Amino acid sequence: MAQQERARRTRAAIVEAAAHEFSKRGYTAASVNTILEGSRATKGAMYFHFSSKEDLARAVLQTASEKYREIMSTPRPAGVDALEWLHSLIVELARSFDESVVVRAEFRLIIEPEFYATIREGAGAIWGQAAFDLAAEAHREGLLRPDIDPRQFTRVLVTSLAGQRYMSDLTADETDLATLFEESLEVLLMAMASPEWLDGWRARGWRDVLAPVGADA
């Protein structure tokens, strides 16, 4: 058991170090030697767990997917409507970019040619499906306008959040990511939410209904 635990910790350390390297340099420029130095693992240990740099990158992507699933599967409190819950998940998603290097690495890796396909099956797909499910519920419950297509709502939202994330890096904008993500959602809701929902939201604002994942750990 002790040997298994050491192996688990070694693997986790290698994935963490790889995530740091991939998030800074991307896949092609990432250095295996730098990853080894960051993880304090031997080359033999790395190749025991991972057959190649690509295999290691895919482990980072898988770890990010697990993080997304953790966020999206958070139990929804009673009395929280679909749009308010969508806001809470968006804020938590922004926090994950700040707090989790594997999430930042995943965002960098999926623009690399070797990993384009993961956009359809990885962390982004997990988040996109959760957003669509909530948009569809909001439409059924009359929180979105009747003429709004939930798929259109989701597509515009996900694209806007990705754009905010990229632009925050390109422009070195110091506005925190949660505020930028919230801005994207609010602009979209101004155009697509029902007048009744908007009136209630303007009166009460956003409630803090979701504690950060792992806050009690």
Side-chain angles (χ1 to χ4, degrees):
M1 293 297 292
Q3 186 175 3
Q4 289 178 342
E5 178 61 18
R6 284 196 299 272
R8 186 196 67 78
R9 290 181 179 178
T10 297
R11 187 184 190 280
I14 295 170
V15 170
E16 181 88 359
H20 278 283
E21 181 70 356
F22 291 138
S23 68
K24 290 189 296 184
R25 301 179 185 275
Y27 176 72
T28 302
S31 165
V32 171
N33 287 335
T34 301
I35 293 170
L36 288 172
E37 290 172 6
S39 66
R40 298 184 179 180
T42 65
K43 185 172 288 189
M46 190 188 80
Y47 285 110
F48 173 80
H49 291 285
F50 307 102
S51 61
S52 63
K53 186 168 79 169
E54 180 178 343
D55 189 30
L56 180 51
R58 294 194 182 280
V60 171
L61 292 171
Q62 178 60 36
T63 304
S65 292
E66 292 167 3
K67 176 66 176 176
Y68 274 68
R69 288 191 186 94
E70 179 187 4
I71 294 170
M72 298 308 149
S73 64
T74 304
R76 178 166 148 195
V80 176
D81 71 40
L83 295 180
E84 191 167 30
W85 189 238
L86 179 60
H87 166 264
S88 297
L89 293 181
I90 285 172
V91 169
E92 185 61 21
L93 186 63
R95 287 174 180 155
S96 73
F97 276 106
D98 291 333
E99 298 169 1
S100 174
V101 69
V102 295
V103 172
R104 295 194 297 274
E106 187 268 349
F107 197 76
R108 179 72 181 268
L109 284 170
I110 59 173
I111 65 172
E112 303 273 0
E114 294 85 352
F115 305 105
Y116 284 159
T118 63
I119 294 174
R120 296 182 180 274
E121 60 191 32
I126 295 165
W127 150 240
Q129 185 61 53
F132 171 73
D133 290 344
L134 288 169
E137 179 187 336
H139 189 258
R140 290 193 303 271
E141 297 296 325
L143 311 182
L144 296 179
R145 291 187 354 233
D147 59 323
I148 294 301
D149 179 353
R151 293 193 182 279
Q152 179 190 51
F153 176 93
T154 305
R155 185 167 58 249
V156 174
L157 176 62
V158 171
T159 301
S160 179
L161 297 184
Q164 291 277 33
R165 178 66 181 86
Y166 280 120
M167 290 304 296
S168 69
D169 286 343
L170 290 174
T171 63
D173 191 330
E174 295 184 358
T175 306
D176 70 275
L177 197 58
T179 299
L180 295 174
F181 278 14
E182 193 173 68
E183 176 182 84
S184 286
L185 177 62
E186 290 177 359
V187 169
L188 190 59
L189 290 174
M190 292 289 186
M192 294 188 171
S194 68
E196 296 79 10
W197 187 88
L198 284 171
D199 287 345
W201 170 68
R202 288 188 179 105
R204 68 177 181 273
W206 296 117
R207 295 183 294 164
D208 183 9
V209 298
L210 177 62
V213 171
D216 297 330

